[in-house]
Amino acid sequence: WGFDPADLRVPVTLWHGRADRLVPLSHSLQLAATIPNTTALIDHDGGHFFYSGRLADIVQTVVPSKRRGAFETVALADAA
């Protein structure tokens, strides 16, 4: 990437499909734990390309909203 993710100082939201068979959930959670001020959102039924059907929900997480759709906010210590 050309930078250390631990150096990021802006809020980060990381999305992952729990049913992803290409990238294990543990990899995304490890990355999220490395980046300060990160929220991990897990789509329980989503696979590797889940985001293509969830773009509206993902964009809504960038805009202040009380609704998170079908995503689950995960406490990193409890996610694995």
Side-chain angles (χ1 to χ4, degrees):
W1 292 327
F3 67 94
D4 182 350
D7 292 337
L8 291 171
R9 296 295 177 250
V10 296
V12 173
T13 302
L14 186 138
W15 296 272
H16 189 92
R18 188 176 287 275
D20 189 334
R21 290 188 266 166
L22 299 175
V23 179
L25 176 60
S26 61
H27 289 196
S28 291
L29 295 176
Q30 183 177 8
L31 178 60
T34 301
I35 303 169
N37 199 19
T38 295
T39 301
L41 297 176
I42 310 304
D43 184 304
H44 282 283
D45 299 321
H48 191 70
F49 295 105
F50 81 93
Y51 63 87
S52 63
R54 303 299 302 271
L55 288 176
D57 289 325
I58 292 170
V59 169
Q60 285 181 8
T61 64
V62 178
V63 177
S65 173
K66 294 180 182 180
R67 181 168 115 35
R68 287 282 187 200
F71 289 105
E72 166 191 6
T73 302
V74 176
L76 295 178
D78 300 330

